[in-house]
Amino acid sequence: MQRLRHRVLALGRRWRGRLSRQARLKAILLTAPVGFGALGVGFMAQGLVPSTPALDAPLIDAMLQAPPPPPRRAAAVVRGDGVEPDPLSGIQSRRASAPTTGAGPLILAEPEPGEPLALEIRVALLNQPTTLQLGSEGPWLLRDRSGNVLRQGGGGAGPDLSPSADLPAELWFETQGGDPVSVQGRRYDGRLRLVRQGGTYTVVNHLALERYIASVVGSEMPSSWNMEALRAQAIAARSYAVAHMARPASAHWHLGNTTRWQAYRGLESVNERTQRAAASTAGVILSYQGGIVESLYAANQQIVLEAHGHLGASMSQEGAQALASQGLRYNAILGRYYQGASLARLKPGAG
C-alpha cells in the first residue's frame, strides 16, 4: 500500500458541445489554478496512454483528511474564520487488480464490493439573480453559522433575504425533516449555505456525494440511454467531483454547477435510472499512479479532440452510448477512453 502522492501534475477543463469552436479553443489555453492541500490530484492525461496496454501500478492508499459531519443543529462550521473543514475523512481508495486486455478495448478490472461512504460535497449554485427566492417542501429553519435559529416557517416560501432583513453574512437554510429545499423554484437535496460577498449571497448546496452524482448523470446524459453508458458517466463524474473535493475551487465550495465544471440541476435531473447508475457504481473512481483522475469528457468525439486532444484522455459521451449499444460494459467503455487508468473504490481508512 502506498500513500497517495501529494501533487498536481496537470489539470484540464471540461467543455460542452454547445460552446462555440472559437470559445473552446480560446478557453483550453487557460490553465486551472494549481492548489495544494491535504490531498493532491495526481493527473497527467498524456500519461494515461501507455506504451503497452497493461498497467502494473501499485495499490493506492489515499488518506484524505477531514472531521466527521457536525450535528445538524450546529450547522456545519466549526472554525472561527467561517471556512468549513474538508469533508473527506480518513478515506482510502483501493485499486482493483491490473486491467485485462482482449480483442476489444482495454477492460478495467472492477474493484471489490464495498459499503457506500457518507461523503458530503459542496456545490456552488452560480449565476443566481440578486434577489433570491428560497423555499422548501417541509418546515424550514434559517440559522447563523453557530447554529442559532434566526427564522423558521412551514413549507413553501422561505425567508426574506433582502438587505432590510438585517441578516448576518453567513446563513444556513435547511428543512427539519430532510425535505428538499429550492432556489428560484428549482429543488435540491440537502441544505443550503449562503455566504454574502459583495452585497449578494452565494448559494452553496451541501448534499451527499452519491445524490449529487445521480443528478449529474441525468444532467449530462439522457437518462434513457443505455445503463452501461450511464454507469460510465457516473464514475467519470464521481472521479471529477472527488478530485475537486480534494482540491476545492473556493474556501466555501468544491465546484460549481455550470458546465465550467459538471452540469448539475438538482432533483430536476434525478430519476430511477440515474439513481441506479450512481448506486451500482457507488464509491468507484478512476485512478492513475497513486492519484485521482480528473476525468474529462465532452459530448462527442469532435469536441473531445478539439478541447482535450492534447491531453490524450477524455470520454465522448455519445461514443460511450454507442459502445454500450454494442454490448460493452461500463468498465470496457472507460478502458477505451482512459487507457492506463484503473478503477478504485473509496472505503473507510484506518485511523
Side-chain angles (χ1 to χ4, degrees):
M1 303 291 286
Q2 292 185 351
R3 188 172 295 275
L4 187 67
R5 298 175 186 178
H6 293 220
R7 61 198 170 106
V8 177
L9 292 179
L11 295 171
R13 297 188 180 214
R14 196 181 60 75
W15 305 99
R16 295 275 294 185
R18 59 173 172 268
L19 294 179
S20 69
R21 182 177 185 274
Q22 181 179 2
R24 286 197 303 271
L25 294 178
K26 179 180 179 181
I28 201 65
L29 297 177
L30 304 176
T31 57
V34 175
F36 296 90
L39 175 69
V41 180
F43 173 54
M44 175 71 82
Q46 294 93 328
L48 288 178
V49 183
S51 56
T52 56
L55 177 69
D56 184 19
L59 292 177
I60 300 170
D61 185 11
M63 302 304 297
L64 313 179
Q65 301 176 357
R72 177 168 284 274
R73 64 168 298 277
V77 179
V78 295
R79 287 171 49 175
D81 58 6
V83 177
E84 266 198 88
D86 197 305
L88 299 171
S89 176
I91 305 302
Q92 295 178 342
S93 65
R94 182 177 294 275
R95 217 197 94 197
S97 56
T100 58
T101 58
L106 194 70
I107 299 175
L108 305 185
E110 297 177 274
E112 297 176 358
E115 291 297 320
L117 296 177
L119 298 178
E120 182 181 79
I121 191 168
R122 306 194 289 267
V123 187
L125 307 181
L126 302 174
N127 301 328
Q128 299 293 337
T130 302
T131 303
L132 288 173
Q133 296 179 353
L134 303 183
S136 71
E137 295 184 10
W140 55 263
L141 299 171
L142 185 70
R143 303 180 186 269
D144 63 19
R145 76 182 196 188
S146 298
N148 301 310
V149 177
L150 304 177
R151 307 275 194 281
Q152 57 185 316
D160 174 18
L161 299 178
S162 64
S164 61
D166 191 27
L167 293 168
E170 184 176 324
L171 299 166
W172 290 85
F173 181 71
E174 61 186 31
T175 58
Q176 293 178 300
D179 298 303
V181 293
S182 66
V183 182
Q184 309 306 117
R186 177 167 284 177
R187 300 164 61 247
Y188 296 92
D189 264 335
R191 54 208 173 112
L192 304 176
R193 183 185 188 191
L194 298 96
V195 182
R196 191 168 62 220
Q197 297 173 314
T200 60
Y201 282 106
T202 297
V203 183
V204 183
N205 186 197
H206 289 233
L207 75 159
L209 174 62
E210 296 303 333
R211 293 294 289 172
Y212 166 74
I213 297 303
S215 176
V216 172
V217 170
S219 299
E220 289 284 356
M221 275 187 175
S223 61
S224 60
W225 278 13
N226 190 290
M227 182 55 62
E228 296 304 317
L230 297 181
R231 289 188 174 108
Q233 177 64 66
I235 292 174
R238 186 181 298 106
S239 188
Y240 185 92
V242 172
H244 282 272
M245 292 173 74
R247 180 195 149 276
S250 162
H252 299 293
W253 42 276
H254 297 125
L255 74 175
N257 66 326
T258 67
T259 52
R260 158 61 181 84
W261 288 274
Q262 300 186 121
Y264 169 60
R265 302 202 304 267
L267 289 171
E268 174 183 310
S269 56
V270 174
N271 59 36
E272 185 275 333
R273 287 178 58 78
T274 69
Q275 292 182 80
R276 180 149 54 101
S280 62
T281 62
V284 179
I285 62 170
L286 287 157
S287 67
Y288 176 69
Q289 290 190 351
I292 303 168
V293 174
E294 188 185 28
S295 41
L296 306 179
Y297 53 89
N300 56 53
Q301 191 62 28
Q302 179 182 354
I303 301 171
V304 164
L305 293 175
E306 289 180 356
H308 305 152
H310 68 293
L311 295 174
S314 179
M315 183 177 73
S316 162
Q317 294 165 310
E318 293 178 3
Q321 167 66 0
L323 292 172
S325 299
Q326 296 169 20
L328 272 66
R329 297 188 64 237
Y330 73 92
N331 54 334
I333 295 170
L334 293 171
R336 169 72 62 87
Y337 289 110
Y338 304 102
Q339 294 184 28
S342 301
L343 294 178
R345 185 182 299 279
L346 300 172
K347 64 176 191 134

